[in-house]
Amino acid sequence: MDSSAQDFQPTTFSVKLWPPSESTRLLLVERMTKNLSNKSIFSRKYGLLGQEEAHENAERIEHLCFASANEQFNKEPDGDGSSAVQLYAKETSKMMLEVLKKGPRIASESEAPIADAPLKPADTVLDISGGKRAFIEADEAKELLSPLTKPGNSYYKICFSNRSFGVDAANVAGPILESVKNQLTEVDMSDFVAGRPEDEALDVMRIFSKALEGAVLRYLNISDNALGEKGVRAFSELLKSQENLEELYVMNDGISEDAAKALSELIPSTEKLKVLHFHNNMTGDKGAVYVAEMVKRSPNLESFRCSATRIGPDGGVALSEALGTCTHLKKLDLRDNLFGVDAGIALSRTLPKLPGLVELYLSDLNLENKGTVAIVSALKQSAPQLEVLELAGNEINAKAAPALAEFLTTMQSLKKLTLAENELKDDGAVIIAQSLEDGHADLKELDVSTNMLQRVGARCFARAVANKSGFVHLNINANFISDEGIDEVKDMLKAGKNSLDVLGSLDENDPEGEPDDDEEEDDEDAKDDDDQDGLDSKLQNVKVEQDD
């Protein structure tokens, strides 16, 4: 194993029986924080998390995994707790890997839910999410929610995120919420039952759902609650009463096929939805069909996120076709799914119907050359105002470069372009870089890392951005650029309008390495090899997950 991979150490435990002590749980959070924020083979590939973001994720992971392991322990009352400990370790490692692969939050990538936006004046917003994550008991719930009991209050938004409610606390909160539900328009119940046993968590959801039934909400966030179908149906009364939702967030909720079906059935109308986010679920192809039904009924969508949801070709086609009704779409995020070429082509047929697209995230979709060319050819005619485009990890090589270059020439509004983890080599780099050199005054970020580039390709990309006054970041890491080539890149940047500060890290560059010189075959002829490469990649991922 590469020595850099050793930076990401598997979690170890000193406990022998369940449950672990509070100090052991805190120690685990600190270990995960260190693993998530330290440089490793994963951070070099996906980006390095800051200390604060790493700690937030570590706490969230620990609470979710503790709840799952505790549920396992409760199913085996006569056991010694070893199976719960094993599940605790396995799930924390798995979720850490998911966080690392997602990468750090960046401004252009994240459309933050309203809960993360600057707060309204204190007399209209009640936000109890601040401070350390904590379990809320009945007395504390009464105190925290007391502002809602004052006559004539003007609260229209409440945020419970980051505080875990038990049944006793929920029973206190229920009547209070019911008394103000007619004035509420925004409710954030994300991550509000962390660490609770499943039965208790479901009871809490039902209490809150019943209390808020009939509230005319425009914003609802029920993310990070490990809902599954049971959780979705626990919110039945609230969901069935919503006909005016404009924003719905159901992220990291274990949304399977059955859960997606329940969600689609329970919400009576999505015609007013502008934001629908499903990131990081287990939706799959069959679940995607139900998500697609919701999308079809949401003609006013402006932001749709369905990334990391295990959707394959069939679900990708269904979802792509459904998006054709969303003619107001501005941001589309489908990253980290298993679409393949056919779903890519289906998406290319839909894109001309989305003339308002500003941000498009299509990384890690297995599009290959054929799917990529179809998509950029469609965009060339329909989205001249596109500002963000991500196509990383799609097996794109130099044969697609002419189509990409022709497309990029017309994309003069681009601010961020990501083509990382492809196989462009110098032949493709020369063509693409030339299309970026003239114009593109707004371009700020260019990521062509991990593309088998050598000296010539690196020089071309440096020349393309050197004189763009607003440019801020060039990533050419993890290539095969010689020391002489690196020096030339630096000289070009220094001679242009930018300083060396725009050049990203080169710690993964291999100046003595060389790309595979085997003659490239046509896509159809190389299908067997591509399939084998894909299998190897999946096996490597499995190995990493098991090691962690």
Side-chain angles (χ1 to χ4, degrees):
M1 175 180 283
D2 190 307
S3 60
S4 60
Q6 296 175 2
D7 294 343
F8 187 77
Q9 295 294 332
T11 305
T12 58
F13 298 89
S14 59
V15 295
K16 300 299 182 183
L17 299 174
W18 191 263
S21 67
E22 186 64 26
S23 61
T24 298
R25 295 180 64 185
L26 291 173
L27 179 60
L28 174 62
V29 170
E30 293 308 311
R31 286 176 177 171
M32 286 194 290
T33 300
K34 182 177 180 181
N35 278 332
L36 291 171
S37 60
N38 283 359
K39 287 186 177 181
S40 67
I41 189 172
F42 300 101
S43 67
R44 291 172 186 138
K45 185 174 183 181
Y46 301 107
L48 184 65
L49 273 67
Q51 184 74 16
E52 182 178 351
E53 183 180 359
H55 188 69
E56 289 176 2
N57 277 289
E59 284 192 326
R60 175 179 63 82
I61 290 170
E62 194 281 329
H63 278 282
L64 289 172
C65 294
F66 177 85
S68 297
N70 204 50
E71 180 184 352
Q72 173 71 23
F73 179 70
N74 290 333
K75 292 178 180 178
E76 301 176 358
D78 298 328
D80 62 0
S82 58
S83 62
V85 172
Q86 184 178 8
L87 180 63
Y88 191 44
K90 179 180 178 182
E91 289 301 307
T92 53
S93 297
K94 179 181 177 182
M95 292 184 71
M96 275 195 292
L97 183 60
E98 291 176 353
V99 168
L100 287 167
K101 291 178 70 174
K102 179 183 175 184
R105 290 190 298 257
I106 56 176
S108 61
E109 172 187 345
S110 60
E111 179 173 325
I114 290 177
D116 296 330
L119 294 180
K120 300 288 185 180
D123 61 343
T124 59
V125 177
L126 181 65
D127 186 352
I128 66 170
S129 65
K132 295 187 66 175
R133 186 190 303 261
F135 287 88
I136 302 298
E137 304 302 333
D139 290 344
E140 188 174 5
K142 183 177 181 180
E143 180 181 353
L144 288 170
L145 300 182
S146 61
L148 297 176
T149 65
K150 296 178 180 179
N153 74 78
S154 301
Y155 291 102
Y156 72 88
K157 173 183 175 180
I158 52 176
C159 178
F160 299 112
S161 182
N162 201 45
R163 298 298 181 97
S164 179
F165 283 77
V167 169
D168 290 341
N171 282 328
V172 170
I176 298 175
L177 292 177
E178 190 167 5
S179 70
V180 297
K181 68 180 179 182
N182 290 334
Q183 67 194 52
L184 296 176
T185 60
E186 302 176 20
V187 174
D188 185 343
M189 291 184 284
S190 61
D191 194 21
F192 83 129
V193 289
R196 303 289 180 177
E198 182 183 89
D199 289 345
E200 183 178 20
L202 292 173
D203 285 341
V204 171
M205 293 175 193
R206 293 186 189 100
I207 293 169
F208 275 73
S209 173
K210 177 63 177 176
L212 293 168
E213 180 184 10
V216 183
L217 302 180
R218 62 162 297 277
Y219 169 95
L220 178 62
N221 190 345
I222 52 175
S223 302
D224 300 311
N225 285 313
L227 296 177
E229 183 190 8
K230 292 180 181 178
V232 171
R233 295 198 181 280
F235 279 116
S236 291
E237 290 172 293
L238 172 61
L239 293 174
K240 286 191 293 186
S241 67
Q242 298 307 303
E243 297 188 356
N244 292 279
L245 279 178
E246 294 180 16
E247 301 188 41
L248 176 61
Y249 299 87
V250 197
M251 301 184 290
N252 193 35
D253 268 334
I255 300 299
S256 60
E257 174 191 353
D258 291 336
K261 180 181 180 182
L263 198 62
S264 178
E265 292 173 349
L266 289 173
I267 300 180
S269 174
T270 56
E271 290 184 1
K272 295 183 179 180
L273 268 184
K274 294 181 179 180
V275 178
L276 180 59
H277 285 194
F278 272 100
H279 169 73
N280 197 28
N281 283 299
M282 54 181 70
T283 312
D285 273 349
K286 294 181 178 179
V289 173
Y290 296 107
V291 177
E293 289 181 4
M294 292 185 66
V295 169
K296 285 180 184 178
R297 303 195 304 266
S298 309
N300 290 301
L301 269 187
E302 295 180 5
S303 176
F304 177 62
R305 187 179 186 189
C306 200
S307 49
T309 47
R310 308 181 188 180
I311 296 176
D314 292 342
V317 170
L319 201 55
S320 296
E321 292 175 348
L323 285 166
T325 64
C326 306
T327 56
H328 300 284
L329 206 62
K330 296 178 181 178
K331 177 179 177 179
L332 176 59
D333 186 348
L334 300 172
R335 281 173 292 185
D336 196 14
N337 283 299
L338 302 170
F339 275 31
V341 174
D342 290 343
I345 292 174
L347 181 60
S348 74
R349 298 191 186 106
T350 293
L351 289 173
K353 303 174 184 177
L354 313 177
L357 272 181
V358 176
E359 299 181 31
L360 183 58
Y361 301 91
L362 301 177
S363 294
D364 301 306
L365 291 178
N366 299 330
L367 296 175
E368 302 179 15
N369 284 345
K370 189 174 182 181
T372 301
V373 169
I375 284 171
V376 298
S377 298
L379 288 171
K380 182 176 62 177
Q381 305 297 330
S382 61
Q385 71 293 330
L386 197 66
E387 295 181 2
V388 178
L389 176 62
E390 290 195 5
L391 284 167
N394 277 305
E395 302 179 37
I396 306 168
N397 61 38
K399 292 180 180 179
L404 274 167
E406 186 177 349
F407 155 73
L408 290 171
T409 300
T410 66
M411 294 291 108
Q412 293 298 316
S413 296
L414 268 184
K415 294 181 179 179
K416 177 182 178 181
L417 174 63
T418 300
L419 294 170
E421 298 180 56
N422 285 301
E423 302 164 15
L424 294 176
K425 297 187 178 180
D426 282 357
D427 289 345
V430 171
I431 298 171
I432 291 172
Q434 187 174 3
S435 71
L436 294 171
E437 192 165 344
D438 294 329
H440 293 95
D442 295 328
L443 188 64
K444 298 183 183 301
E445 298 179 52
L446 176 61
D447 187 347
V448 286
S449 57
T450 318
N451 261 291
M452 305 182 187
L453 303 182
Q454 294 181 283
R455 179 178 182 178
V456 172
R459 282 167 48 96
C460 288
F461 281 121
R463 183 185 299 114
V465 302
N467 289 304
K468 301 187 189 305
S469 56
F471 192 80
V472 296
H473 188 67
L474 172 63
N475 187 355
I476 54 173
N477 202 10
N479 284 301
F480 305 109
I481 309 165
S482 66
D483 291 334
E484 293 82 359
I486 295 298
D487 289 340
E488 290 170 344
V489 165
K490 291 180 178 179
D491 289 341
M492 286 181 180
L493 294 176
K494 286 190 290 186
K497 295 181 180 179
N498 299 304
S499 69
L500 281 179
D501 292 341
V502 304
L503 183 60
S505 171
L506 292 168
D507 58 350
E508 281 285 290
N509 182 61
D510 183 359
E512 298 180 357
E514 294 183 2
D516 185 0
D517 290 330
D518 291 344
E519 183 178 352
E520 295 180 17
E521 302 177 32
D522 291 336
D523 291 342
E524 292 183 0
D525 294 337
K527 184 176 186 302
D528 292 340
D529 291 338
D530 289 343
D531 289 344
Q532 186 60 49
D533 289 344
L535 177 60
D536 290 344
S537 175
K538 291 177 182 178
L539 289 175
Q540 287 175 8
N541 289 338
V542 170
K543 184 175 186 298
V544 169
E545 187 172 319
Q546 289 174 341
D547 286 346
D548 294 338

